[in-house]
Amino acid sequence: MDELRKSRLREIPQVNLIVNHPRVQELSAQIPLQRITEAVQTVLSSLRNNIVKAKDSGQLAQELDIGLIVEQVRTVVLTQFSPKLNKVINATGIVLHTNCGRSVLPKEVLDFVSQIAGGYSNLELDLSTGERGSRYVHVEELLCKLTGAEAALVVNNNAAAVLLVMRALAFGKEVIVSRGELVEVGGSFRIPEVLKSGGANLVEVGTTNKTWLRDFKNALNENTAMLLKVHTSNFKVVGFTQQVSSEELVGLAREVGLPVVEDLGSGSLEDLSKYGLSGEPTVQEVVATGVDIVTFSGDKLLGGPQTGIIVGKKKYIDTLKYNQLTRALRVDKLTLAALEGVLRIYLEARQNELPTLKMLTLSETELRDKAEKLARDLLFAVKSAAEVSVEQGFSQAGGGSLPTANLPTVLVAIQPTKTTVNQLEGYLRANDPPVLARIYKQKLLIDVRTLLPGDAEHLITLFKNWENS
């Protein structure tokens, strides 16, 4: 056994032999020789360890073919130097898929971001005076025009927006909020913890399902800094319920001289009820109630980049702007460019061109036409390797938005006949770009709602390759 082990160890090729192999040398045009050599050493070290740890002659008989070793090296090198952040095809039907980056930006916005990213810009320069300016002016006027607010500020996400508000306006003081609105959002981030991180002392009033205006009134004292309302955008309490409206809170706040802050979560500038999607107030509606500060996300129902947007009364927004935490939470030029591009689309009343709103509001006829065409093409591609059908189903808004809205959709269902559905799903997910789909009752489901231009053609090519493999 020991002699066999020693013999096998001597058979491991030298590093230089692998490095100088033509297939490995192909990589040197783009990748430094040092990194290639390190990859070769890693592969050979792994082979050596396997032989040393082998417990029987069968394990010692591992393949040491030069060609196989070379391909292992290529795999290691290419994996190491390939991008970790990849484009994926979202066939799940979840429009604002948090794991997939939420909102998709339109091409004209991408072109604008590229223009700003590829050169210098007036990020913090007032071109009219030649003096230093504020980076927020590029979007503040647009946000005010669209929402009716007096002033606006943008930070890196909505949790940061709430944190900044608490830090600047309620540090060491009390914030009154309904117990039924203390939500937990994605990634286990909880509104109560965000408030406490901002230095505010949380005062919960009411019960999970019922809170009255008198509950807020009874909790007021000389240490109260604000009244807070949180839109429960990622869940709904139904049945025997009672919540205090924004208008009621504003009325109470005016009596005692306190601000009202409302965290809208998703934040929509478009009335979605005309598409049958109810229960989501627009930012404009909330500002019109007299709420002093409204916070919301830019990458959810707004359809823009990840941002936390704060709009409201100028005296409060000015206080936020000059808080030291604002610098730590500020957004960069690429985010501002993307947000400005999206807001200009709203200003020009072209919001139906935003991919997020397009996908959320697709009609059943449009969905069925897409699904039936894809099903026909896939049936031709897979031949006898799978059964393909068109089925009714439901999509989701995702991203904690519209939690009770099941969006009727049309699915392409694929049931493999020569392999398992899990193997098919794994094959699609391992491709470039990866395809994310759903599995239900031994069928792979492709929801055409979230397929972007060009995705269907790529799917057909993948299934042709799969059928021939």
Side-chain angles (χ1 to χ4, degrees):
M1 179 73 174
D2 288 340
E3 287 302 317
L4 178 58
R5 193 187 310 275
K6 291 177 182 179
S7 174
R8 295 295 285 164
L9 287 171
R10 287 193 293 269
E11 292 176 22
I12 296 176
Q14 296 295 311
V15 171
N16 287 343
L17 181 64
I18 305 299
V19 169
N20 293 320
H21 191 283
R23 286 280 289 162
V24 175
Q25 282 295 303
E26 289 175 2
L27 302 173
S28 63
Q30 295 179 310
I31 298 170
L33 181 60
Q34 179 184 347
R35 303 300 176 215
I36 295 174
T37 303
E38 289 172 357
V40 172
Q41 291 169 336
T42 297
V43 171
L44 296 183
S45 177
S46 177
L47 292 173
R48 190 174 294 106
N49 288 337
N50 290 341
I51 292 173
V52 170
K53 295 177 181 179
K55 296 180 180 179
D56 54 51
S57 57
Q59 292 179 343
L60 282 173
Q62 66 172 309
E63 186 62 64
L64 294 176
D65 178 75
I66 294 290
L68 293 177
I69 294 173
V70 164
E71 293 309 315
Q72 288 180 44
V73 169
R74 285 179 59 86
T75 298
V76 169
V77 172
L78 294 174
T79 299
Q80 181 182 353
F81 283 88
S82 62
K84 299 301 182 288
L85 187 61
N86 295 303
K87 172 189 174 180
V88 302
I89 291 177
N90 178 14
T92 66
I94 303 173
V95 178
L96 297 169
H97 202 309
T98 299
N99 298 349
C100 297
R102 294 185 179 165
S103 289
V104 176
L105 298 177
K107 185 179 183 306
E108 70 176 85
V109 173
L110 296 178
D111 290 342
F112 181 50
V113 172
S114 178
Q115 176 186 338
I116 298 301
Y120 295 106
S121 66
N122 62 325
L123 178 65
E124 291 188 353
L125 178 66
D126 186 335
L127 293 175
S128 64
T129 65
E131 297 178 353
R132 181 167 184 168
S134 167
R135 65 179 57 204
Y136 302 110
V137 299
H138 305 293
V139 295
E140 184 172 19
E141 183 179 350
L142 292 169
L143 285 167
C144 291
K145 282 183 178 179
L146 290 167
T147 66
E150 294 177 6
L153 178 64
V154 179
V155 291
N156 54 11
N157 62 26
N158 192 46
V162 175
L163 177 69
L164 177 60
V165 171
M166 295 303 116
R167 187 75 180 183
L169 302 177
F171 185 78
K173 294 189 174 183
E174 294 182 354
V175 174
I176 306 175
V177 62
S178 169
R179 183 171 284 110
E181 295 175 357
L182 295 177
V183 301
E184 178 178 304
V185 295
S188 299
F189 290 98
R190 297 177 173 181
I191 288 294
E193 302 308 318
V194 174
L195 302 186
K196 291 175 185 176
S197 296
N201 298 317
L202 192 63
V203 177
E204 302 175 25
V205 297
T207 63
T208 302
N209 63 317
K210 281 204 169 192
T211 302
W212 301 87
L213 186 62
R214 64 176 178 268
D215 295 319
F216 280 87
K217 194 168 186 177
N218 291 337
L220 289 168
N221 62 57
E222 66 280 357
N223 201 38
T224 303
M226 67 178 64
L227 308 181
L228 174 65
K229 184 171 181 61
V230 180
H231 181 52
T232 54
S233 56
N234 62 353
F235 81 102
K236 292 292 179 187
V237 177
V238 296
F240 200 50
T241 65
Q242 170 65 38
Q243 290 297 323
V244 181
S245 69
S246 302
E247 291 88 347
E248 289 176 302
L249 281 182
V250 169
L252 175 59
R254 295 295 176 268
E255 292 177 18
V256 295
L258 292 174
V260 176
V261 176
E262 182 157 352
D263 172 17
L264 268 181
S266 294
S268 176
L269 295 179
E270 174 77 350
D271 180 9
L272 299 176
S273 63
K274 58 188 176 185
Y275 304 105
L277 303 172
S278 60
E280 196 70 30
T282 66
V283 179
Q284 303 92 300
E285 290 170 343
V286 175
V287 169
T289 66
V291 169
D292 299 284
I293 298 175
V294 183
T295 70
F296 55 99
S297 296
D299 60 339
K300 293 185 180 180
L301 294 179
L302 183 72
Q306 177 181 297
T307 49
I309 301 173
I310 311 170
V311 299
K313 301 290 194 306
K314 187 177 186 305
K315 66 176 182 177
Y316 296 117
I317 300 297
D318 283 348
T319 300
L320 301 181
K321 287 179 180 178
Y322 294 110
N323 188 276
Q324 291 299 309
L325 188 58
T326 299
R327 183 174 178 85
L329 303 176
R330 71 180 184 179
V331 290
D332 72 337
K333 63 181 181 181
L334 304 187
T335 303
L336 283 169
L339 181 60
E340 181 182 352
V342 169
L343 293 176
R344 290 196 178 282
I345 289 175
Y346 275 100
L347 194 66
E348 296 165 9
R350 296 187 291 116
Q351 51 265 45
N352 61 335
E353 297 176 16
L354 293 169
T356 294
L357 295 181
K358 268 186 183 180
M359 287 186 274
L360 285 173
T361 59
L362 280 170
S363 69
E364 186 175 352
T365 300
E366 291 173 302
L367 291 165
R368 182 161 293 281
D369 289 345
K370 284 186 173 185
E372 289 180 349
K373 182 181 186 310
L374 179 58
R376 288 194 300 270
D377 293 338
L378 286 179
L379 188 60
F380 179 77
V382 300
K383 299 176 183 176
S384 61
E387 296 176 1
V388 181
S389 59
V390 173
E391 301 181 0
Q392 295 290 121
F394 293 96
S395 308
Q396 293 180 347
S401 304
L402 306 172
T404 60
N406 282 323
L407 310 175
T409 193
V410 186
L411 307 165
V412 177
I414 300 151
Q415 190 166 21
T417 56
K418 297 182 179 179
T419 186
T420 69
V421 68
N422 295 89
Q423 288 173 325
L424 174 58
E425 187 273 340
Y427 162 80
L428 293 174
R429 188 162 31 83
N431 264 277
D432 183 19
V435 178
L436 304 181
R438 287 186 274 161
I439 293 177
Y440 182 69
K441 291 186 177 181
Q442 300 306 307
K443 294 179 181 179
L444 185 91
L445 302 180
I446 295 174
D447 192 330
V448 295
R449 182 185 295 277
T450 48
L451 293 185
L452 299 174
D455 286 352
E457 291 76 10
H458 184 74
L459 280 170
I460 294 162
T461 300
L462 284 184
F463 274 95
K464 282 181 180 177
N465 296 338
W466 171 70
E467 192 277 334
N468 293 324
S469 62

